[in-house]
Amino acid sequence: MRTSNRRLTTLLGMAAASASALVLGTAPAQAAGSVFEAYNSLTSPSAKTEFAQDGEILTALDMKKDGHGTAAQWRYNSSSPTHSYYNGNGYAVPKNWDLSFAEGTTLQIRACLQDTSNGTPYSCGGWEYAKA
């Protein structure tokens, strides 16, 4: 009798595990998009630009309390115009811009310092690739 109970318990346990695996395996997949990052310096960054694939959000972040604002820049390639977005909100306060690109578009992003909304970006980092 003990052997029968053990077999029944084992079979019920296997059935429950199989049902759980089936339910979990068929749950809708929510693939998170990538976030691409660029910094104005690799050794001591004070500006950061992010491009979030989901929602196509460009973000500029000031990473140092140094009195400078930041600029997030993007372009399609080296021969296309550079688009620049200023963030003067201060240290650790991100500023976001909702952009729109065709699915799969490759672009380049970089981070710069900029002192006023009318100022010119400077101390820019290298261009990094991102994908919409």
Short mmCIF file of all heavy atoms in Angstrom, two decimals, residues 16-80:
data_model
loop_
_atom_site.label_atom_id
_atom_site.label_comp_id
_atom_site.label_asym_id
_atom_site.label_seq_id
_atom_site.Cartn_x
_atom_site.Cartn_y
_atom_site.Cartn_z
N ALA A 16 1.59 17.80 -11.93
CA ALA A 16 1.53 19.20 -11.50
C ALA A 16 2.72 19.97 -12.05
O ALA A 16 2.59 21.11 -12.53
CB ALA A 16 1.50 19.29 -9.98
N ALA A 17 3.90 19.37 -12.02
CA ALA A 17 5.09 20.03 -12.54
C ALA A 17 4.97 20.25 -14.05
O ALA A 17 5.33 21.31 -14.57
CB ALA A 17 6.34 19.20 -12.22
N SER A 18 4.45 19.26 -14.76
CA SER A 18 4.26 19.40 -16.21
C SER A 18 3.26 20.49 -16.53
O SER A 18 3.45 21.30 -17.44
CB SER A 18 3.80 18.08 -16.82
OG SER A 18 4.78 17.10 -16.65
N ALA A 19 2.16 20.54 -15.77
CA ALA A 19 1.15 21.57 -16.00
C ALA A 19 1.73 22.95 -15.73
O ALA A 19 1.49 23.91 -16.48
CB ALA A 19 -0.07 21.31 -15.11
N SER A 20 2.53 23.08 -14.67
CA SER A 20 3.15 24.37 -14.35
C SER A 20 4.10 24.79 -15.46
O SER A 20 4.12 25.95 -15.87
CB SER A 20 3.92 24.29 -13.03
OG SER A 20 3.03 24.07 -11.98
N ALA A 21 4.90 23.87 -15.95
CA ALA A 21 5.84 24.19 -17.02
C ALA A 21 5.10 24.61 -18.28
O ALA A 21 5.50 25.55 -18.97
CB ALA A 21 6.73 22.98 -17.31
N LEU A 22 3.99 23.95 -18.56
CA LEU A 22 3.20 24.29 -19.75
C LEU A 22 2.63 25.70 -19.61
O LEU A 22 2.71 26.51 -20.53
CB LEU A 22 2.08 23.27 -19.95
CG LEU A 22 1.19 23.49 -21.16
CD1 LEU A 22 2.02 23.42 -22.44
CD2 LEU A 22 0.09 22.44 -21.20
N VAL A 23 2.07 26.00 -18.45
CA VAL A 23 1.49 27.33 -18.23
C VAL A 23 2.57 28.40 -18.30
O VAL A 23 2.42 29.42 -18.94
CB VAL A 23 0.74 27.39 -16.88
CG1 VAL A 23 0.37 28.81 -16.51
CG2 VAL A 23 -0.51 26.52 -16.95
N LEU A 24 3.68 28.17 -17.63
CA LEU A 24 4.76 29.16 -17.64
C LEU A 24 5.37 29.31 -19.02
O LEU A 24 5.74 30.40 -19.44
CB LEU A 24 5.85 28.79 -16.63
CG LEU A 24 5.43 28.86 -15.16
CD1 LEU A 24 6.54 28.31 -14.28
CD2 LEU A 24 5.08 30.28 -14.77
N GLY A 25 5.46 28.23 -19.74
CA GLY A 25 6.05 28.26 -21.08
C GLY A 25 5.19 28.98 -22.09
O GLY A 25 5.69 29.46 -23.09
N THR A 26 3.89 29.09 -21.84
CA THR A 26 3.01 29.74 -22.81
C THR A 26 2.64 31.16 -22.39
O THR A 26 1.83 31.79 -23.03
CB THR A 26 1.71 28.93 -23.00
OG1 THR A 26 1.06 28.80 -21.73
CG2 THR A 26 2.01 27.57 -23.57
N ALA A 27 3.25 31.66 -21.32
CA ALA A 27 2.99 33.03 -20.93
C ALA A 27 3.52 33.98 -21.99
O ALA A 27 4.51 33.68 -22.65
CB ALA A 27 3.66 33.33 -19.59
N PRO A 28 2.85 35.11 -22.22
CA PRO A 28 3.31 36.02 -23.26
C PRO A 28 4.71 36.55 -22.94
O PRO A 28 5.00 36.94 -21.82
CB PRO A 28 2.29 37.16 -23.24
CG PRO A 28 1.55 37.02 -21.97
CD PRO A 28 1.68 35.60 -21.53
N ALA A 29 5.55 36.56 -23.93
CA ALA A 29 6.91 37.04 -23.76
C ALA A 29 6.92 38.55 -23.82
O ALA A 29 6.28 39.15 -24.67
CB ALA A 29 7.81 36.46 -24.85
N GLN A 30 7.64 39.16 -22.91
CA GLN A 30 7.79 40.60 -22.91
C GLN A 30 9.27 40.90 -23.03
O GLN A 30 9.96 41.06 -22.03
CB GLN A 30 7.21 41.22 -21.65
CG GLN A 30 5.71 41.06 -21.55
CD GLN A 30 5.16 41.73 -20.32
OE1 GLN A 30 5.88 42.14 -19.43
NE2 GLN A 30 3.84 41.84 -20.27
N ALA A 31 9.75 40.95 -24.23
CA ALA A 31 11.16 41.21 -24.46
C ALA A 31 11.45 42.67 -24.20
O ALA A 31 10.83 43.56 -24.78
CB ALA A 31 11.53 40.85 -25.90
N ALA A 32 12.36 42.90 -23.31
CA ALA A 32 12.75 44.28 -23.00
C ALA A 32 13.70 44.77 -24.08
O ALA A 32 14.59 44.04 -24.52
CB ALA A 32 13.41 44.33 -21.64
N GLY A 33 13.49 45.99 -24.53
CA GLY A 33 14.38 46.58 -25.52
C GLY A 33 15.69 46.98 -24.88
O GLY A 33 15.81 47.09 -23.66
N SER A 34 16.66 47.21 -25.69
CA SER A 34 17.98 47.59 -25.22
C SER A 34 18.03 49.07 -24.88
O SER A 34 17.29 49.88 -25.42
CB SER A 34 19.01 47.29 -26.29
OG SER A 34 19.06 45.90 -26.54
N VAL A 35 18.94 49.40 -23.98
CA VAL A 35 19.26 50.79 -23.68
C VAL A 35 20.72 50.99 -24.06
O VAL A 35 21.60 50.28 -23.60
CB VAL A 35 19.05 51.11 -22.18
CG1 VAL A 35 19.50 52.52 -21.87
CG2 VAL A 35 17.59 50.92 -21.80
N PHE A 36 20.95 51.95 -24.94
CA PHE A 36 22.30 52.24 -25.42
C PHE A 36 22.82 53.46 -24.67
O PHE A 36 22.07 54.41 -24.43
CB PHE A 36 22.26 52.50 -26.93
CG PHE A 36 21.72 51.33 -27.70
CD1 PHE A 36 20.36 51.22 -27.97
CD2 PHE A 36 22.57 50.33 -28.15
CE1 PHE A 36 19.85 50.13 -28.67
CE2 PHE A 36 22.07 49.24 -28.85
CZ PHE A 36 20.71 49.14 -29.12
N GLU A 37 24.10 53.45 -24.31
CA GLU A 37 24.69 54.52 -23.51
C GLU A 37 25.90 55.12 -24.17
O GLU A 37 26.66 54.41 -24.84
CB GLU A 37 25.09 53.99 -22.13
CG GLU A 37 23.94 53.43 -21.34
CD GLU A 37 24.37 52.82 -20.02
OE1 GLU A 37 25.57 52.47 -19.87
OE2 GLU A 37 23.54 52.71 -19.13
N ALA A 38 26.10 56.42 -23.94
CA ALA A 38 27.30 57.12 -24.39
C ALA A 38 27.69 58.10 -23.29
O ALA A 38 26.83 58.69 -22.63
CB ALA A 38 27.02 57.86 -25.70
N TYR A 39 28.99 58.28 -23.09
CA TYR A 39 29.52 59.18 -22.07
C TYR A 39 30.46 60.18 -22.72
O TYR A 39 31.06 59.89 -23.76
CB TYR A 39 30.28 58.38 -21.00
CG TYR A 39 29.41 57.39 -20.27
CD1 TYR A 39 29.25 56.09 -20.75
CD2 TYR A 39 28.75 57.76 -19.12
CE1 TYR A 39 28.43 55.19 -20.09
CE2 TYR A 39 27.93 56.85 -18.44
CZ TYR A 39 27.78 55.57 -18.94
OH TYR A 39 26.97 54.68 -18.28
N ASN A 40 30.64 61.34 -22.08
CA ASN A 40 31.55 62.32 -22.65
C ASN A 40 33.00 61.98 -22.34
O ASN A 40 33.92 62.54 -22.93
CB ASN A 40 31.20 63.75 -22.20
CG ASN A 40 31.51 63.99 -20.75
OD1 ASN A 40 31.29 63.14 -19.90
ND2 ASN A 40 32.00 65.18 -20.45
N SER A 41 33.23 61.08 -21.42
CA SER A 41 34.58 60.64 -21.07
C SER A 41 34.50 59.23 -20.52
O SER A 41 33.56 58.92 -19.78
CB SER A 41 35.18 61.58 -20.01
OG SER A 41 36.34 61.02 -19.44
N LEU A 42 35.45 58.42 -20.85
CA LEU A 42 35.46 57.06 -20.32
C LEU A 42 36.10 57.00 -18.94
O LEU A 42 35.79 56.13 -18.14
CB LEU A 42 36.19 56.12 -21.27
CG LEU A 42 35.51 55.91 -22.62
CD1 LEU A 42 36.35 55.00 -23.50
CD2 LEU A 42 34.12 55.34 -22.45
N THR A 43 37.01 57.93 -18.63
CA THR A 43 37.72 57.89 -17.36
C THR A 43 37.02 58.66 -16.24
O THR A 43 37.04 58.24 -15.10
CB THR A 43 39.15 58.42 -17.52
OG1 THR A 43 39.08 59.74 -18.07
CG2 THR A 43 39.96 57.53 -18.44
N SER A 44 36.40 59.78 -16.58
CA SER A 44 35.73 60.59 -15.56
C SER A 44 34.51 61.27 -16.18
O SER A 44 34.50 62.49 -16.40
CB SER A 44 36.70 61.63 -15.00
OG SER A 44 36.08 62.37 -13.99
N PRO A 45 33.46 60.51 -16.48
CA PRO A 45 32.31 61.08 -17.19
C PRO A 45 31.53 62.09 -16.34
O PRO A 45 31.33 61.90 -15.15
CB PRO A 45 31.45 59.87 -17.53
CG PRO A 45 31.84 58.83 -16.53
CD PRO A 45 33.27 59.09 -16.19
N SER A 46 31.11 63.16 -17.01
CA SER A 46 30.26 64.15 -16.35
C SER A 46 28.93 64.31 -17.09
O SER A 46 28.03 64.99 -16.61
CB SER A 46 30.98 65.49 -16.24
OG SER A 46 31.45 65.90 -17.51
N ALA A 47 28.83 63.69 -18.27
CA ALA A 47 27.59 63.73 -19.06
C ALA A 47 27.32 62.34 -19.61
O ALA A 47 28.25 61.63 -20.03
CB ALA A 47 27.71 64.73 -20.19
N LYS A 48 26.05 61.98 -19.61
CA LYS A 48 25.64 60.66 -20.13
C LYS A 48 24.42 60.85 -21.03
O LYS A 48 23.52 61.61 -20.72
CB LYS A 48 25.27 59.75 -18.96
CG LYS A 48 24.76 58.38 -19.37
CD LYS A 48 24.40 57.57 -18.14
CE LYS A 48 23.86 56.21 -18.48
NZ LYS A 48 23.49 55.45 -17.28
N THR A 49 24.43 60.14 -22.15
CA THR A 49 23.28 60.09 -23.05
C THR A 49 22.83 58.64 -23.14
O THR A 49 23.66 57.74 -23.26
CB THR A 49 23.65 60.61 -24.45
OG1 THR A 49 23.95 62.00 -24.36
CG2 THR A 49 22.53 60.41 -25.45
N GLU A 50 21.53 58.44 -23.06
CA GLU A 50 20.96 57.11 -23.23
C GLU A 50 19.92 57.16 -24.35
O GLU A 50 19.24 58.17 -24.52
CB GLU A 50 20.24 56.64 -21.97
CG GLU A 50 21.13 56.30 -20.82
CD GLU A 50 20.34 55.77 -19.63
OE1 GLU A 50 19.09 55.78 -19.64
OE2 GLU A 50 20.99 55.35 -18.67
N PHE A 51 19.83 56.04 -25.05
CA PHE A 51 18.74 55.87 -26.02
C PHE A 51 18.07 54.55 -25.69
O PHE A 51 18.70 53.49 -25.76
CB PHE A 51 19.24 55.87 -27.46
CG PHE A 51 18.13 55.67 -28.45
CD1 PHE A 51 17.26 56.71 -28.76
CD2 PHE A 51 17.92 54.44 -29.05
CE1 PHE A 51 16.21 56.53 -29.65
CE2 PHE A 51 16.88 54.25 -29.95
CZ PHE A 51 16.03 55.30 -30.25
N ALA A 52 16.80 54.62 -25.29
CA ALA A 52 16.03 53.43 -24.96
C ALA A 52 15.27 52.98 -26.20
O ALA A 52 14.48 53.73 -26.76
CB ALA A 52 15.07 53.71 -23.82
N GLN A 53 15.54 51.76 -26.61
CA GLN A 53 14.91 51.19 -27.80
C GLN A 53 13.38 51.15 -27.66
O GLN A 53 12.66 51.53 -28.57
CB GLN A 53 15.47 49.78 -28.01
CG GLN A 53 15.33 49.24 -29.39
CD GLN A 53 16.08 47.92 -29.51
OE1 GLN A 53 16.09 47.10 -28.60
NE2 GLN A 53 16.71 47.71 -30.65
N ASP A 54 12.91 50.74 -26.49
CA ASP A 54 11.46 50.74 -26.24
C ASP A 54 11.01 52.18 -26.02
O ASP A 54 11.46 52.84 -25.09
CB ASP A 54 11.11 49.91 -25.00
CG ASP A 54 11.15 48.42 -25.26
OD1 ASP A 54 11.28 48.03 -26.43
OD2 ASP A 54 11.05 47.66 -24.29
N GLY A 55 10.16 52.67 -26.87
CA GLY A 55 9.67 54.03 -26.75
C GLY A 55 10.53 55.06 -27.45
O GLY A 55 10.15 56.20 -27.58
N GLU A 56 11.72 54.66 -27.85
CA GLU A 56 12.65 55.55 -28.55
C GLU A 56 12.84 56.85 -27.78
O GLU A 56 12.59 57.94 -28.26
CB GLU A 56 12.18 55.79 -29.98
CG GLU A 56 12.15 54.50 -30.77
CD GLU A 56 11.43 54.58 -32.09
OE1 GLU A 56 10.73 55.57 -32.34
OE2 GLU A 56 11.58 53.63 -32.88
N ILE A 57 13.30 56.69 -26.54
CA ILE A 57 13.50 57.81 -25.62
C ILE A 57 14.98 58.15 -25.55
O ILE A 57 15.82 57.30 -25.24
CB ILE A 57 12.98 57.48 -24.20
CG1 ILE A 57 11.53 57.04 -24.23
CG2 ILE A 57 13.21 58.65 -23.26
CD1 ILE A 57 10.56 58.09 -24.69
N LEU A 58 15.30 59.42 -25.83
CA LEU A 58 16.66 59.94 -25.69
C LEU A 58 16.73 60.66 -24.35
O LEU A 58 15.84 61.45 -24.02
CB LEU A 58 16.97 60.91 -26.84
CG LEU A 58 18.39 61.46 -26.89
CD1 LEU A 58 19.36 60.36 -27.33
CD2 LEU A 58 18.47 62.65 -27.83
N THR A 59 17.78 60.40 -23.57
CA THR A 59 17.92 60.99 -22.25
C THR A 59 19.29 61.63 -22.11
O THR A 59 20.30 61.03 -22.49
CB THR A 59 17.76 59.92 -21.15
OG1 THR A 59 16.48 59.31 -21.30
CG2 THR A 59 17.90 60.51 -19.76
N ALA A 60 19.32 62.83 -21.53
CA ALA A 60 20.57 63.50 -21.17
C ALA A 60 20.64 63.56 -19.65
O ALA A 60 19.66 63.92 -19.00
CB ALA A 60 20.63 64.91 -21.75
N LEU A 61 21.78 63.20 -19.09
CA LEU A 61 21.95 63.18 -17.64
C LEU A 61 23.26 63.86 -17.26
O LEU A 61 24.32 63.53 -17.79
CB LEU A 61 21.95 61.73 -17.13
CG LEU A 61 22.16 61.56 -15.63
CD1 LEU A 61 20.99 62.17 -14.85
CD2 LEU A 61 22.32 60.09 -15.27
N ASP A 62 23.17 64.79 -16.32
CA ASP A 62 24.34 65.46 -15.76
C ASP A 62 24.85 64.59 -14.62
O ASP A 62 24.13 64.30 -13.67
CB ASP A 62 23.91 66.84 -15.24
CG ASP A 62 25.08 67.68 -14.77
OD1 ASP A 62 26.16 67.14 -14.48
OD2 ASP A 62 24.89 68.91 -14.67
N MET A 63 26.10 64.16 -14.70
CA MET A 63 26.64 63.21 -13.74
C MET A 63 27.59 63.83 -12.71
O MET A 63 28.13 63.12 -11.87
CB MET A 63 27.36 62.08 -14.48
CG MET A 63 26.41 61.28 -15.36
SD MET A 63 27.24 59.98 -16.29
CE MET A 63 27.87 58.97 -14.96
N LYS A 64 27.81 65.15 -12.79
CA LYS A 64 28.70 65.80 -11.83
C LYS A 64 28.15 67.14 -11.40
O LYS A 64 27.56 67.87 -12.20
CB LYS A 64 30.09 66.03 -12.45
CG LYS A 64 30.97 64.83 -12.46
CD LYS A 64 32.39 65.21 -12.81
CE LYS A 64 33.27 63.98 -12.78
NZ LYS A 64 34.61 64.26 -13.26
N LYS A 65 28.40 67.50 -10.15
CA LYS A 65 28.03 68.82 -9.63
C LYS A 65 29.15 69.79 -10.00
O LYS A 65 29.98 70.15 -9.18
CB LYS A 65 27.87 68.77 -8.11
CG LYS A 65 26.71 67.94 -7.64
CD LYS A 65 26.62 67.98 -6.12
CE LYS A 65 25.48 67.11 -5.64
NZ LYS A 65 25.34 67.13 -4.18
N ASP A 66 29.17 70.19 -11.27
CA ASP A 66 30.26 71.04 -11.74
C ASP A 66 29.77 72.35 -12.37
O ASP A 66 30.55 73.12 -12.91
CB ASP A 66 31.13 70.28 -12.74
CG ASP A 66 30.34 69.75 -13.92
OD1 ASP A 66 29.14 70.08 -14.06
OD2 ASP A 66 30.91 68.98 -14.71
N GLY A 67 28.47 72.62 -12.31
CA GLY A 67 27.92 73.86 -12.85
C GLY A 67 27.68 73.84 -14.36
O GLY A 67 27.21 74.82 -14.91
N HIS A 68 27.98 72.73 -15.03
CA HIS A 68 27.76 72.62 -16.47
C HIS A 68 26.49 71.84 -16.75
O HIS A 68 26.16 70.90 -16.02
CB HIS A 68 28.93 71.91 -17.16
CG HIS A 68 30.24 72.59 -16.95
ND1 HIS A 68 30.54 73.81 -17.51
CD2 HIS A 68 31.32 72.21 -16.25
CE1 HIS A 68 31.75 74.15 -17.16
NE2 HIS A 68 32.26 73.20 -16.39
N GLY A 69 25.80 72.20 -17.81
CA GLY A 69 24.68 71.41 -18.29
C GLY A 69 25.19 70.33 -19.23
O GLY A 69 26.40 70.19 -19.44
N THR A 70 24.28 69.56 -19.78
CA THR A 70 24.66 68.50 -20.71
C THR A 70 23.86 68.59 -22.00
O THR A 70 22.82 69.25 -22.05
CB THR A 70 24.43 67.11 -20.08
OG1 THR A 70 23.04 66.95 -19.80
CG2 THR A 70 25.23 66.94 -18.81
N ALA A 71 24.35 67.91 -23.00
CA ALA A 71 23.63 67.82 -24.27
C ALA A 71 23.67 66.37 -24.75
O ALA A 71 24.72 65.74 -24.72
CB ALA A 71 24.25 68.73 -25.33
N ALA A 72 22.52 65.87 -25.14
CA ALA A 72 22.43 64.56 -25.78
C ALA A 72 22.35 64.81 -27.28
O ALA A 72 21.56 65.63 -27.73
CB ALA A 72 21.18 63.82 -25.30
N GLN A 73 23.18 64.14 -28.03
CA GLN A 73 23.19 64.32 -29.47
C GLN A 73 22.94 63.00 -30.18
O GLN A 73 23.33 61.94 -29.69
CB GLN A 73 24.53 64.90 -29.93
CG GLN A 73 24.79 66.29 -29.41
CD GLN A 73 26.03 66.91 -30.04
OE1 GLN A 73 27.00 66.24 -30.34
NE2 GLN A 73 25.98 68.22 -30.23
N TRP A 74 22.32 63.09 -31.36
CA TRP A 74 22.14 61.91 -32.21
C TRP A 74 22.28 62.32 -33.67
O TRP A 74 22.10 63.48 -34.03
CB TRP A 74 20.82 61.21 -31.95
CG TRP A 74 19.60 61.92 -32.46
CD1 TRP A 74 18.83 62.81 -31.77
CD2 TRP A 74 19.02 61.80 -33.76
NE1 TRP A 74 17.80 63.25 -32.56
CE2 TRP A 74 17.89 62.65 -33.78
CE3 TRP A 74 19.33 61.06 -34.90
CZ2 TRP A 74 17.08 62.78 -34.91
CZ3 TRP A 74 18.52 61.20 -36.02
CH2 TRP A 74 17.41 62.04 -36.02
N ARG A 75 22.63 61.35 -34.48
CA ARG A 75 22.69 61.50 -35.93
C ARG A 75 22.53 60.12 -36.55
O ARG A 75 22.66 59.10 -35.86
CB ARG A 75 24.00 62.15 -36.37
CG ARG A 75 25.22 61.26 -36.13
CD ARG A 75 26.51 61.94 -36.47
NE ARG A 75 27.64 61.02 -36.32
CZ ARG A 75 28.89 61.35 -36.45
NH1 ARG A 75 29.22 62.61 -36.71
NH2 ARG A 75 29.84 60.46 -36.31
N TYR A 76 22.23 60.10 -37.83
CA TYR A 76 22.12 58.81 -38.52
C TYR A 76 23.50 58.24 -38.85
O TYR A 76 23.76 57.06 -38.66
CB TYR A 76 21.30 58.94 -39.81
CG TYR A 76 19.83 59.17 -39.54
CD1 TYR A 76 19.24 60.38 -39.83
CD2 TYR A 76 19.04 58.17 -38.97
CE1 TYR A 76 17.89 60.60 -39.59
CE2 TYR A 76 17.69 58.38 -38.72
CZ TYR A 76 17.12 59.60 -39.04
OH TYR A 76 15.79 59.80 -38.78
N ASN A 77 24.38 59.07 -39.36
CA ASN A 77 25.74 58.66 -39.71
C ASN A 77 26.62 59.90 -39.79
O ASN A 77 26.14 61.02 -39.62
CB ASN A 77 25.77 57.85 -41.02
CG ASN A 77 25.13 58.61 -42.16
OD1 ASN A 77 25.45 59.77 -42.41
ND2 ASN A 77 24.21 57.97 -42.87
N SER A 78 27.89 59.71 -40.07
CA SER A 78 28.84 60.83 -40.02
C SER A 78 28.55 61.92 -41.05
O SER A 78 29.00 63.05 -40.89
CB SER A 78 30.27 60.32 -40.19
OG SER A 78 30.39 59.65 -41.43
N SER A 79 27.80 61.62 -42.10
CA SER A 79 27.51 62.65 -43.10
C SER A 79 26.12 63.28 -42.92
O SER A 79 25.72 64.13 -43.70
CB SER A 79 27.63 62.06 -44.52
OG SER A 79 26.68 61.03 -44.69
N SER A 80 25.40 62.90 -41.87
CA SER A 80 24.06 63.47 -41.63
C SER A 80 24.15 64.57 -40.56
O SER A 80 25.11 64.62 -39.79
CB SER A 80 23.08 62.38 -41.22
OG SER A 80 23.39 61.90 -39.94
#
